[in-house]
Amino acid sequence: MRDHGGLTRNISQCLRDFNIPLKLSHTVTQIHGKERLKGVTVAKVDLDKKPINGTEEYIPCDTLMLSVGLIPENELSKMAGIKIDTRTKGPVVDENRQTSVPGIFACGNVLHVHDLVDNVSMEAAIAGRSAAAYAARGEACPVARRVEARGGVRYVVPQRIRADAQGEIPLMLRVGDVYKDATLVARCGETILAKRKKRIFTPGEMETLPLDAQRITGDIIVEMEAQKA
């Protein structure tokens, strides 16, 4: 079990103990130094993440660490002619983790970037069972319903759910911004299939929203009901 409150308190205490400034809603606009780094200029950003003129501040330093995000390893998927999701940069899959090419399954960081190995293991188990079942039956994939990310949800996996799906289907997704006191909702037409309310949603944490396959009658929309933090 993850104790986000305890982790936040520990980080805050560490920042105070070592007098480390924490500047939220800022970005690096300039890097200074030739032979080695001497400092950086940072500035506040607006709601569109663009620097605000007049807020620049020079900070002397000798090291700069950048977090630029990751994308799945998709070269083999592209070579196999598999359809790629423009948001995840990985294959489009159904709830069994079968790609657009029948008999080819994807999971883990080939499919989308994970933050917890537990989620990778869960996805691997789904893909493994499904591949074994496919090998035994050799069935073609029936018509699937679309799963679409909207309104604050950056992406969702799977992007398709087969018409013959059964049991509980976990949707794995990431939001596109920080949301406080928000509700994550999955709808099928006017029917709410699942919802989850949390004190805070962040892009860095993957969310899981379970659906009951028997209640799915058409395409699904997953979105946030909230204001940005």
Side-chain angles (χ1 to χ4, degrees), residues 47-215:
L47 294 178
D48 294 322
K49 311 298 186 192
K50 295 180 179 179
I52 301 173
N53 291 333
T55 65
E56 295 85 358
E57 177 187 358
Y58 175 79
I59 299 177
C61 62
D62 58 13
T63 304
L64 174 64
M65 297 181 63
L66 300 176
S67 176
V68 295
L70 300 171
I71 62 173
E73 172 49 63
N74 56 25
E75 290 305 313
L76 288 177
S77 300
K78 290 180 178 179
M79 289 172 61
I82 292 170
K83 183 177 181 180
I84 301 296
D85 188 322
T86 57
R87 297 187 184 188
T88 64
K89 309 302 182 185
V92 171
V93 295
D94 63 19
E95 78 283 359
N96 293 328
R97 300 311 188 262
Q98 183 169 214
T99 68
S100 59
V101 178
I104 298 181
F105 297 77
C107 63
N109 288 335
V110 166
L111 186 57
H112 56 136
V113 176
H114 290 69
D115 47 1
L116 293 175
V117 70
D118 290 351
N119 290 330
V120 176
S121 299
M122 178 182 71
E123 225 170 43
I126 293 172
R129 287 194 301 267
S130 302
Y134 180 91
R137 296 192 302 266
E139 296 177 348
C141 180
V143 176
R145 285 77 178 251
R146 291 185 303 140
V147 184
E148 183 179 351
R150 288 188 189 175
V153 177
R154 194 168 80 206
Y155 76 76
V156 60
V157 174
Q159 298 90 343
R160 302 286 186 270
I161 294 179
R162 302 184 349 158
D164 65 348
Q166 298 179 358
E168 184 178 276
I169 300 171
L171 298 182
M172 304 175 75
L173 57 101
R174 290 186 189 272
V175 298
D177 212 317
V178 177
Y179 293 87
K180 290 185 178 179
D181 297 321
T183 303
L184 183 63
V185 180
R187 289 189 176 88
C188 185
E190 298 299 320
T191 302
I192 295 179
L193 300 175
K195 62 167 50 179
R196 172 175 296 162
K197 186 173 183 178
K198 285 179 61 177
R199 189 180 64 82
I200 186 166
F201 289 91
T202 65
E205 183 177 1
M206 185 178 294
E207 302 292 338
T208 303
L209 194 63
L211 303 185
D212 180 356
Q214 292 185 336
R215 300 186 62 208

Side-chain angles (χ1 to χ4, degrees), residues 6-73:
L7 178 60
T8 301
R9 287 191 296 272
N10 290 338
I11 293 174
S12 298
Q13 185 64 47
C14 195
L15 294 175
R16 288 195 298 270
D17 289 347
F18 292 95
N19 195 28
I20 300 173
L22 176 63
K23 294 183 178 294
L24 303 177
S25 300
H26 281 67
T27 189
V28 175
T29 60
Q30 205 170 354
I31 299 174
H32 306 276
K34 291 185 178 180
E35 297 300 325
R36 67 171 295 122
L37 183 66
K38 293 182 178 179
V40 296
T41 297
V42 301
K44 291 182 180 180
V45 296
D46 58 22
L47 294 178
D48 294 322
K49 311 298 186 192
K50 295 180 179 179
I52 301 173
N53 291 333
T55 65
E56 295 85 358
E57 177 187 358
Y58 175 79
I59 299 177
C61 62
D62 58 13
T63 304
L64 174 64
M65 297 181 63
L66 300 176
S67 176
V68 295
L70 300 171
I71 62 173
E73 172 49 63

